[in-house]
């Protein structure tokens, strides 16, 4: 079951990139009781995204693009976000 933050992340990334693959994985249970765990159950995520918009972009540029698309979610509403962004292979 996904919560409201996860659903918002999925919506924002879909709207921004029309990805060919998107997984927003809630890793919060693995970090319960650790630093950054706010008790919401939505504090740590991994994003796996593949989209044509990432073609010819560096890894850092791809991460910046994802963070920008997510607005205030990283760092404000989510403590930790791992990003695996790639372009589709022809």
């Amino acid at each position: 079951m996904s919560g409201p933050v996860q659903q918002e992340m999925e919506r924002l990334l879909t709207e921004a990139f029309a990805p060919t693959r998107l997984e927003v994985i809630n890793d919060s249970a693995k970090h319960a009781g650790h630093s950054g765990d706010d008790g919401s159950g939505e504090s740590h995520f991994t994003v796996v995204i593949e989209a044509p918009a990432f073609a010819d972009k560096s890894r850092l540029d791809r991460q910046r693009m994802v963070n920008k698309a997510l607005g205030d979610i990283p760092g404000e509403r989510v403590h930790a976000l791992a990003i695996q962004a790639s372009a589709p292979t022809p």
Side-chain angles (χ1 to χ4, degrees), residues 46-62:
T46 298
V47 169
V48 179
I49 184 169
E50 178 183 273
F54 299 132
D56 301 320
K57 304 287 187 207
S58 70
R59 184 173 67 78
L60 181 58
D61 286 339
R62 293 172 184 183

Side-chain angles (χ1 to χ4, degrees), residues 2-90:
S2 63
V5 174
Q6 182 174 352
Q7 291 170 4
E8 183 177 358
M9 291 171 64
E10 291 168 349
R11 179 184 58 79
L12 290 168
L13 294 170
T14 298
E15 289 173 359
F17 301 111
T20 54
R21 177 180 178 206
L22 176 63
E23 293 179 62
V24 178
I25 304 158
N26 187 336
D27 298 319
S28 301
K30 297 177 190 174
H31 302 277
H34 297 173
S35 175
D37 174 28
D38 61 5
S40 70
E42 291 194 293
S43 59
H44 294 70
F45 287 91
T46 298
V47 169
V48 179
I49 184 169
E50 178 183 273
F54 299 132
D56 301 320
K57 304 287 187 207
S58 70
R59 184 173 67 78
L60 181 58
D61 286 339
R62 293 172 184 183
Q63 291 181 348
R64 287 178 175 155
M65 291 167 69
V66 169
N67 280 317
K68 183 177 180 180
L70 293 175
D72 73 338
I73 294 174
E76 294 288 325
R77 296 165 47 201
V78 168
H79 174 72
L81 178 63
I83 301 170
Q84 299 171 19
S86 62
T89 54

